[in-house]
């Protein structure tokens, strides 16, 4: 009895492909069904997690670029102090401003990226969990029907 056959999944969706394999399965060995379903899952997971590493990398690099700007701004400030002394603070203000602005921009860029990475990673994990549960359900149902 294949109760799950009645579900209406799009044939293009991962759940549709899992359901199609389960519906067409007529073997006596649940391990065969499991390997076919696991093959679909193995192909489905990488696209879900494909851009997570890029988002994570950008979130890590943004503050470092801000820090680099800070260091460059401070080097420029010290060079101006060496050339002109500390008599006129306006000479140093531009370099210090650059240092602070780049730091702020790095942090401003990193915060939403960290948030987006967290949300997208949680959503991908949730989808993979649903697919795993569906696959386990198909395998368990197949194993029970083989015993009966």
């Amino acid at each position: 009895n294949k109760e799950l056959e009645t579900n209406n999944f799009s044939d293009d969706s991962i759940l549709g492909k899992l359901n199609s394999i389960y519906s067409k399965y007529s073997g006596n060995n649940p391990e065969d069904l499991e390997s076919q379903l696991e093959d679909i899952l193995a192909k489905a997971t990488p696209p879900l997690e494909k851009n997570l590493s890029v988002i994570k990398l950008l979130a890590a690099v943004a503050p470092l670029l801000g820090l680099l700007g800070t260091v460059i701004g401070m080097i420029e400030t010290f060079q101006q102090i060496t050339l002109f002394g500390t008599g006129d603070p306006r000479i140093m203000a531009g370099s210090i401003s650059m240092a602070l602005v780049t730091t702020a921009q790095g942090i401003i860029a990193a915060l939403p990226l960290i948030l987006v990475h967290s949300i997208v990673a949680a959503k991908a994990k949730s989808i993979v969990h649903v697919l795993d549960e569906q696959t386990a359900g198909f395998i368990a149902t197949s194993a029970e029907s083989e015993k009966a």
Side-chain angles (χ1 to χ4, degrees):
N1 180 12
K2 293 189 177 186
E3 303 135 3
L4 298 174
E5 282 181 324
T6 60
N7 290 338
N8 293 322
F9 297 112
S10 166
D11 290 337
D12 295 334
S13 73
I14 302 303
L15 285 174
K17 291 176 184 177
L18 293 173
N19 190 50
S20 175
I21 288 172
Y22 174 73
S23 299
K24 294 174 185 172
Y25 176 72
S26 62
N28 295 330
N29 188 356
E31 287 80 23
D32 291 339
L33 175 63
E34 182 177 7
S35 68
Q36 291 175 23
L37 294 174
E38 292 294 332
D39 184 47
I40 296 295
L41 286 180
K43 292 176 184 172
T45 304
L48 289 172
E49 298 171 347
K50 173 173 79 173
N51 294 324
L52 284 175
S53 59
V54 173
I55 296 171
K56 190 174 185 179
L57 177 68
L58 291 174
V61 168
L64 294 174
L65 289 174
L67 182 60
L68 178 63
T70 302
V71 170
I72 291 171
M74 294 311 294
I75 289 171
E76 193 173 308
T77 300
F78 288 123
Q79 287 175 341
Q80 290 172 349
I81 288 172
T82 302
L83 292 175
F84 303 109
T86 58
D88 189 2
R90 287 180 288 174
I91 294 174
M92 297 178 287
S95 301
I96 293 172
S97 174
M98 180 182 82
L100 295 174
V101 167
T102 58
T103 303
Q105 288 175 338
I107 293 169
I108 289 169
L111 290 176
L113 286 170
I114 291 169
L115 180 65
V116 167
H117 177 269
S118 176
I119 291 168
V120 172
K123 188 67 174 171
K125 186 176 181 178
S126 171
I127 291 170
V128 169
H129 182 70
V130 167
L131 293 173
D132 285 339
E133 284 181 343
Q134 190 70 31
T135 300
F138 285 146
I139 294 166
T141 303
S142 174
E144 286 176 13
S145 66
E146 297 299 323
K147 288 180 183 178

